[in-house]
Structure formats: C-alpha cells, structure tokens
Amino acid sequence: MKITVIGAGAIGGNLTRKLGAAGHDVQVADARGPEAVPADVLESGARAVALDDAVQGRDVVILSIPFERVPELAGLFDSVPDETVVIDTSNYYPHLSGSIEVVDKGQVESVRNAEALGRPVVKAWNAALAETQRTKGVPAGTPGRIAIPVAADSPEARRVAMRLVDDTGFDPFDAGVLADSWRQQPMGPAYCTELTLDELGPALAAADRDKDARVRDSMMERFAALGDAPTHEDVVEMNRAAHR
C-alpha cells in the first residue's frame, strides 16, 4: 500500500520502519521539513517528503503527532479523497498538552480529531508503548503475541488498519466503532499493558471512563514512584497494577 506517516518521533519512526520492512511504499513527513527526519527512520526504504506533498495519492495516512496538534492539519486534507484511510495514533494527556474542554467534558479523543479534520479516522497503535512497538512485534501465530485494538466507523477502514497492525508484528483486535475507542485511551486496562488477543477483549470491556481518567491524571506521581531509571517492564507492570 502507499502509506504516509506524519510525524517522525518514537511512534511514527517505529511505524515507518516496520511498514517499510513489510513491503509497503512508505513516505514520512515532519512539520520541520524532510531534513528533520532521522536517518534511521528511513533505513527500511521510506522517503522523507515535505508535509504539503505528503498526503496526495496515498492509500493510508497515519497521524503520529501530539494530540493537541491534530487540528492544525485540517487544511492538509481538503483535497484528499474520501477513500484514503486516516489513522490517528495520538493520546490526550492534559498535564502535557494542557486541558482541552470538549474532551474533559466527555468527547472521545479520536471523535474530536475526526471532527477537527472534517473526515473519518481510525484509532490504532495508541494503546502500545513505543518500546513495545519497537521491540516486541513478532510474526503472526507466535504464542503470546501482543494485541493492539483498532476502532473505526467504517468496517473497510478498520480492516485496512488491522492488516497494517498485523504487518507491524501485533495481533489486531476489532474494537468496534470510533465512539467506543475511549476504551483504549489512557489509562484503561487495555492501555499499554501488553495483552494477548484473548486478554484484550475483557480488558476493553472493563474500562471505566472516570477511573481511567483519574489513573491518567496520576501518571506523574506513578512514574516518580518508580525511581530514576525505570525499565520498560517497570512501566508495563505499573500500568497493569493500576487496574488490579
């Protein structure tokens, strides 16, 4: 597929490398210009392109930028065909981005982003840590393979995103429509807890919006309690422990 990843940070870089290695035609764009894309992000054959040219003629556009900045890209999609699948990987952390009133009042994160962009989006890859995505992808059928939830209103767009999740080394889980994607947002039982396909469904079902928001808003204190140099495993265990 012809894929553009917007954002060359930890998540965007992971997706660019993995989807390129899976054989897709991948472009990556950074708001600071093509020269800002790190060389290692391009190691699987992806091309760095200017943001203004990034979304034309593509099958899929993946947004891997901070949640609060997604509305800035609205004009970029004015001439993009409806059939282009747009995937949102972002998450809302008020202590990082500042408070966003509509989300604080209950609007689902990616529903807000879809409205801001003026087009449907898919929610995927938001519920796995960057290090999980970088190091723990394995071939389909591998015992214990980690699952990633995918939500979208369009069944076809959801299928496309699920195929790409599989290509990055994780079992895709059909998480239903976008309005239900709050279940995979920070810091629910399914969020960054490295669950298998069999475990992920019950975790999504156990999500509680009020509790999950309280856990999210206590993240700084939880990280501080881990000490100066927490490992990746420490962070995953912290996330799991919040829901026991």
Side-chain angles (χ1 to χ4, degrees):
M1 302 187 76
K2 296 179 179 179
I3 300 169
T4 288
V5 179
I6 298 179
I11 300 296
N14 285 338
L15 296 178
T16 298
R17 286 187 289 266
K18 287 180 173 288
L19 292 171
H24 297 286
D25 176 357
V26 182
Q27 297 180 162
V28 57
D30 188 286
R32 298 166 295 175
E35 65 280 358
V37 177
D40 68 295
V41 171
L42 307 176
E43 64 187 11
S44 64
R47 305 178 303 283
V49 298
L51 185 60
D52 289 345
D53 302 325
V55 298
Q56 300 302 318
R58 313 306 288 171
D59 300 311
V60 176
V61 177
I62 300 171
L63 306 181
S64 189
I65 63 174
F67 176 76
E68 69 275 11
R69 294 188 57 196
V70 170
E72 298 173 17
L73 300 182
L76 197 64
F77 290 92
D78 286 346
S79 60
V80 174
D82 291 344
E83 59 266 24
T84 300
V85 175
V86 179
I87 303 175
D88 175 26
T89 73
S90 67
N91 289 303
Y92 175 49
Y93 281 102
H95 64 276
L96 297 177
S97 63
S99 179
I100 297 174
E101 184 177 8
V102 294
V103 181
D104 291 340
K105 288 184 175 180
Q107 187 173 41
V108 176
E109 289 178 0
S110 285
V111 171
R112 175 262 192 181
N113 283 346
E115 290 185 0
L117 294 174
R119 63 178 301 125
V121 302
V122 181
K123 187 76 163 187
W125 287 297
N126 74 298
L129 294 166
E131 186 66 7
T132 300
Q133 295 184 36
R134 187 180 74 85
T135 64
K136 296 198 173 183
V138 294
T142 301
R145 196 185 197 209
I146 295 168
I148 288 179
V150 179
D153 292 338
S154 162
E156 178 56 30
R158 197 184 314 132
R159 281 192 292 270
V160 168
M162 290 177 69
R163 170 190 164 189
L164 296 180
V165 165
D166 188 40
D167 286 346
T168 61
F170 301 90
D171 278 338
F173 183 92
D174 187 335
V177 298
L178 200 64
D180 289 337
S181 65
W182 65 269
R183 295 182 178 277
Q184 65 196 70
Q185 293 175 182
M187 285 288 300
Y191 182 79
C192 299
T193 47
E194 295 190 350
L195 304 178
T196 65
L197 202 60
D198 288 341
E199 296 167 330
L200 187 56
L204 289 166
D208 179 307
R209 295 187 82 169
D210 292 336
K211 177 185 176 182
D212 299 346
R214 290 195 299 271
V215 175
R216 178 199 67 196
D217 293 342
S218 68
M219 285 303 295
M220 298 303 289
E221 293 85 354
R222 291 173 182 273
F223 269 108
L226 293 179
D228 293 335
T231 66
H232 172 71
E233 288 71 21
D234 290 337
V235 176
V236 173
E237 177 56 27
M238 176 190 72
N239 293 342
R240 291 176 175 175
H243 300 283
R244 289 184 182 139

